[in-house]
């Protein structure tokens, strides 16, 4: 089979190698998946570059997310699972979610622990299945960690991104009013198509002024934030008393300063979100909701670019460029 290995930390072209290797057999508790797609996430890119940990071997398979069909099962796995369409998550991380594991989805066949292969509802495509493990599960946790959002007003920053787009769809399906932020007209259209009730271009005027015009002081109940450093100073103005934030990135400042007392005076709750180290309970809740929304057609991840397995380095470079409006996947 063909598989992509990471041989060192560094640039995509210098460290990613496509090889022909033997097709593995599943061990106890494992399944063999004939892969159809593999997700290319920012965290995959950061791991390869060296930003999220050292190498654990001379070469390792890459990528966490993907989708395919179970072709064989190991001891202890029900034979009825053979032939099942599945989506995969958390494949390339260690058991605690914090380090690299030896497995990966950027291969024609993947071996994974059976519980990391989730049945893919029939209405959903394999393309969509490659966009669930990191983007959709992150969106779910960032949105719902503080409780239900039905009847609430939710701000989703970066509404045209892979996580933001799914967060808008999940929030609308859960009964929230959604205000999304974007940086241009094309992204605004994407956020509206996802279901956002109000879309604000943060480059056209100060965001806090636009938000106060739309929802008033304290008019936001919850924020799904792609850049906490860029927005934490306005939380006390825009969030209701006891409002909450699920922040999954902080690109503009990796060590943001917090305005503690303004946040404390309004009892604003901040939850950093890292999908790989979510609790088992949070993962199970996300999986159940994601599959229900896939089945009902209320969750349709947006795919911006599709690449062949042979073009994996270009795919990584595209994700690193930061210009995508949605997900990047490998299809094979």
């Amino acid at each position: 089979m063909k598989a992509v290995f990471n041989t060192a930390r560094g640039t995509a072209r210098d460290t990613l190698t496509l090889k022909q290797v033997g097709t593995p057999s599943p061990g106890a508790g494992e399944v063999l998946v004939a892969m159809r797609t593999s997700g290319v996430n920012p965290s995959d890119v950061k791991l390869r570059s060296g930003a999220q940990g050292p190498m654990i071997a001379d070469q390792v398979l890459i990528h966490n997310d993907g989708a395919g069909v179970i072709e064989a099962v190991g001891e202890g796995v029900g034979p009825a699972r053979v032939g099942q369409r599945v989506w995969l998550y958390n494949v390339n991380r260690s058991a605690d979610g914090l380090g690299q594991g030896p497995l990966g989805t950027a291969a024609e066949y993947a071996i994974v622990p059976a519980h990391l292969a989730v049945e893919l509802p029939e209405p959903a495509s394999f393309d969509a299945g490659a966009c669930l493990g990191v983007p959709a599960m992150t969106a779910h946790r960032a949105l719902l960690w503080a409780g239900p959002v039905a009847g609430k007003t939710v701000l989703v920053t970066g509404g045209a991104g892979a996580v933001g787009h799914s967060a808008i769809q999940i929030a609308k399906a859960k009964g929230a009013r959604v205000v999304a932020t974007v940086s241009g007209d094309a992204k605004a259209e994407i956020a509206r198509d996802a279901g956002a009730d109000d879309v604000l271009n943060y480059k056209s005027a100060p965001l806090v002024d636009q938000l106060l015009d739309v929802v008033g002081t304290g008019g936001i109940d919850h924020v799904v934030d792609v850049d906490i450093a860029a927005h934490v100073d306005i939380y006390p103005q825009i969030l209701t008393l006891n409002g909450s934030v699920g922040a999954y990135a902080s690109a503009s400042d990796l060590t943001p300063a917090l305005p503690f007392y303004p946040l404390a005076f309004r009892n604003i709750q901040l939850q950093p979100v890292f999908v790989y180290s979510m609790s088992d309970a949070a993962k199970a809740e996300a999986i159940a909701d994601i599959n229900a929304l896939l089945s009902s057609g209320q969750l349709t991840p947006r795919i911006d670019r599709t690449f062949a397995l042979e073009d994996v380095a270009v795919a990584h470079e595209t994700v690193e460029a930061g210009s995508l409006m949605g997900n990047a996947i490998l299809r094979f």
Side-chain angles (χ1 to χ4, degrees), residues 21-168:
V21 296
T23 302
S25 298
E30 296 178 334
V31 296
L32 174 69
V33 181
M35 300 301 298
R36 301 291 188 267
T37 55
S38 176
V40 188
N41 293 298
S43 55
D44 298 316
V45 168
K46 291 174 183 175
L47 187 62
R48 184 222 75 232
S49 72
Q52 287 191 358
M55 294 287 291
I56 61 168
D58 290 339
Q59 63 176 22
V60 288
L61 289 162
I62 63 168
H63 294 179
N64 286 278
D65 296 350
V69 178
I70 294 178
E71 284 207 357
V73 299
E75 181 182 354
V77 181
R81 295 208 67 184
V82 174
Q84 188 178 74
R85 301 167 73 249
V86 292
W87 59 274
L88 311 182
Y89 74 97
N90 212 38
V91 171
N92 192 233
R93 294 285 171 146
S94 57
D96 62 7
L98 301 178
Q100 186 169 18
L103 307 176
T105 66
E108 291 179 316
Y109 289 88
I111 291 286
V112 300
H115 71 280
L116 299 183
V118 178
E119 184 170 8
L120 180 66
E122 194 59 46
S125 67
F126 290 121
D127 286 3
C131 307
L132 304 175
V134 174
M137 289 180 74
T138 297
H140 185 277
R141 181 61 174 167
L143 174 68
L144 294 166
W145 75 266
V149 294
K152 295 185 177 181
T153 299
V154 172
L155 171 64
V156 177
T157 64
V163 175
H165 184 269
S166 287
I168 293 171

Side-chain angles (χ1 to χ4, degrees), residues 2 5 8 18 52 59 86 107 241 248 251 263 295 309 313:
K2 294 178 181 178
F5 291 89
L18 180 65
Q52 287 191 358
Q59 63 176 22
V86 292
L241 288 171
Y248 60 94
L263 296 171
S295 297
L309 189 62

Side-chain angles (χ1 to χ4, degrees), residues 127-264:
D127 286 3
C131 307
L132 304 175
V134 174
M137 289 180 74
T138 297
H140 185 277
R141 181 61 174 167
L143 174 68
L144 294 166
W145 75 266
V149 294
K152 295 185 177 181
T153 299
V154 172
L155 171 64
V156 177
T157 64
V163 175
H165 184 269
S166 287
I168 293 171
Q169 293 185 321
I170 297 170
K172 290 304 297 179
K174 293 290 186 179
R177 174 192 178 187
V178 177
V179 181
T181 69
V182 297
S183 60
D185 292 341
K187 292 181 177 181
E189 183 176 352
I190 290 169
R192 289 192 189 94
D193 287 346
D197 299 282
D198 299 281
V199 180
L200 308 177
N201 184 339
Y202 64 85
K203 290 191 173 182
S204 65
L207 179 58
V208 66
D209 294 340
Q210 295 186 67
L211 285 168
L212 294 179
D213 286 342
V214 171
V215 298
T217 301
I220 300 291
D221 297 291
H222 183 80
V223 181
V224 175
D225 209 342
V226 68
D227 191 350
I228 187 173
H231 305 120
V232 66
D233 286 338
I234 69 172
Y235 291 164
Q237 293 174 266
I238 64 171
L239 276 162
T240 185
L241 288 171
N242 300 298
S244 50
V245 178
Y248 60 94
S250 186
S252 65
D253 185 348
L254 300 183
T255 56
L258 300 180
F260 176 79
Y261 284 108
L263 296 171

